[in-house]
Amino acid sequence: MSENATDPAPVEPVRASDAESAGPPAPADGPATRPGPRGPVPSGAPALRPPGAVPAGFRWYPRLTRVTDASVVGGVCAGLSEHLGVKVTHVRLAMVLFATLSGAGVVLYSALWVLLPSAPARADAPPVDPRERRHGKALVAVAMVGAVLSFMLTTATGLNVIVPVLVVALGAGLVWQQYDRGGKVSPRSAFDWARVTAGATLVVVGLAVVVLGQVEFAALRSSLLAVVATLVGVGLLSVPVGLRLWHSLEEERAARIREAERSDIASHLHDSVLQTLALIQKRSDDPAQVARLARRQERELRQWLFGAGSRMSSGATTVAGAVEVMVGDLEDAYGLRIDQVVVGGDGAVGDTEEAVLGAVREALVNVAKHAGVDTADVFVENDGRVLSAFVRDRGAGFDPDAISADRHGLAQSIRHRVESRGGTVTVRSTLGRGTEIGIEMPLEGE
């Protein structure tokens, strides 16, 4: 070979165990898969690969984690199965065999449960077969019985010591399972609370039995008094520190809340008030448009400050929300300033309410067109039996008896709409002093 020949890229050595466990190469139509506790798992390499060529058939081991959504106790065997690429039943049988060696399998399982992180749940994971879960529970029972018997035979320990230890382990396992699967610090249902309470009770009872079995009852009273005195002393010393820490946390929480409120207020003012002021500056040569923009911004700001925005967010599903929407549309369309008062407006909008609100809308349109004023008042009240509405203005006024026959606004849009549903309409108007239209509608079912 000449000196100028290029040396081939170095190839990393492959372990025999890796090559044997890799299996056949991936077919052309997709990656190779291997069995796992949550269904087929792709055996491809991770995103970050070490430099160098990877031989065909080489398989990277996935990260060793606990698979809690396919677990019987803590997900350790399911995680080992997915990591090693073997059936989960084989891993569980190996754990049962280790458990019969004076409980070594139990210690190994507990250590892995504490040290291994929990794998995130997979949305596409198939559900676990109930028969496989039942087989796993049976193997857990066999492992516990084998561990107890082998430990008793090898250490000559009686049941008076082993039973309390098993009770403590069972209680700790219940609590660990809850916080493993719940994902939250606090339980979320009555069953979760029962599980945590039962686990804590078993731990306390087991420890109490172990301790009381080693204590002479004659000296128990003095020991309890010493413990109580110690606890009282620790409490007296820690109360000032605890109170100061509590006040510090409360102040920090209040500061975060104030900062969030300031941020919300600043965002709202920027998106609404400042933008409207910029528009007013551009339209300063049009007084009518400036007044309309200012009135709309006043209405929006009032809704935001006094909570009306919560009603507006629901649209016209309530009487109060429907009045707000109607007043906003009329103010924007006609430039009329409308001051509204709504009492008992939390009820839903039905056919009866729609008829009354439609008549109110038509009365306000008449004010905008014929009264010659730029303000009007609206009052709506729902007392549970009658829905009442009043529209007042201080405009030109008119004579109801002198209205020509070709004018259908008052007769059709207001009177007929209300009276056809059993309501009454009262019109009081004085030339030069304004008009008041009163509407009373009995609610359906009353």
Side-chain angles (χ1 to χ4, degrees), residues 201-401:
T201 303
L202 291 176
V203 171
V204 172
V205 170
L207 292 176
V209 170
V210 172
V211 172
L212 292 178
Q214 306 298 325
V215 175
E216 298 181 2
F217 287 96
L220 183 60
R221 181 178 178 181
S222 58
S223 301
L224 290 177
L225 290 176
V227 170
V228 170
T230 304
L231 293 177
V232 170
V234 172
L236 292 175
L237 294 175
S238 61
V239 163
V241 178
L243 289 177
R244 180 170 296 181
L245 179 60
W246 175 262
H247 291 315
S248 176
L249 293 176
E250 287 294 322
E251 291 175 358
E252 182 181 356
R253 178 173 175 271
R256 288 200 305 267
I257 293 175
R258 286 195 298 268
E259 184 63 28
E261 290 177 349
R262 290 194 194 99
S263 178
D264 292 341
I265 292 173
S267 300
H268 182 81
L269 293 179
H270 176 271
D271 297 339
S272 59
V273 178
L274 295 180
Q275 297 292 345
T276 302
L277 290 176
L279 289 175
I280 288 175
Q281 290 178 358
K282 292 182 179 180
R283 309 286 178 84
S284 58
D285 56 344
D286 186 356
Q289 184 68 14
V290 169
R292 187 173 302 174
L293 289 172
R295 176 59 179 165
R296 184 178 65 181
Q297 185 55 59
E298 178 191 356
R299 183 176 64 252
E300 292 179 358
L301 189 59
R302 185 172 62 248
Q303 292 168 359
W304 180 66
L305 288 175
F306 300 105
S310 60
R311 297 196 300 267
M312 287 293 294
S313 63
S314 60
T317 58
T318 63
V319 174
V323 172
E324 292 280 357
V325 173
M326 176 183 63
V327 168
D329 293 342
L330 292 176
E331 287 183 341
D332 293 339
Y334 296 99
L336 180 68
R337 176 182 177 128
I338 304 173
D339 295 325
Q340 77 271 10
V341 176
V342 182
V343 179
D346 295 334
V349 178
D351 295 337
T352 302
E353 289 79 7
E354 285 184 358
V356 173
L357 295 177
V360 170
R361 181 185 182 89
E362 184 61 27
L364 290 171
V365 171
N366 289 339
V367 172
K369 290 181 177 180
H370 308 296
V373 294
D374 56 0
T375 61
D377 300 322
V378 173
F379 177 79
V380 179
E381 180 182 10
N382 183 356
D383 62 0
R385 297 177 300 172
V386 178
L387 180 61
S388 305
F390 298 91
V391 178
R392 299 186 182 96
D393 69 83
R394 295 174 178 83
F398 66 96
D399 184 2
D401 298 330

Side-chain angles (χ1 to χ4, degrees), residues 174 177-178 181 187-199:
L174 289 175
Q177 263 195 330
Q178 168 59 34
R181 297 177 178 178
R188 295 177 293 180
S189 65
F191 180 76
D192 294 341
W193 278 108
R195 175 185 290 180
V196 173
T197 304

Side-chain angles (χ1 to χ4, degrees), residues 411-430:
Q412 296 295 328
S413 299
I414 298 179
R415 286 190 182 276
H416 178 73
R417 178 176 289 172
V418 175
E419 293 176 354
S420 63
R421 294 184 176 275
T424 58
V425 177
T426 304
V427 179
R428 291 189 294 270
S429 182
T430 304

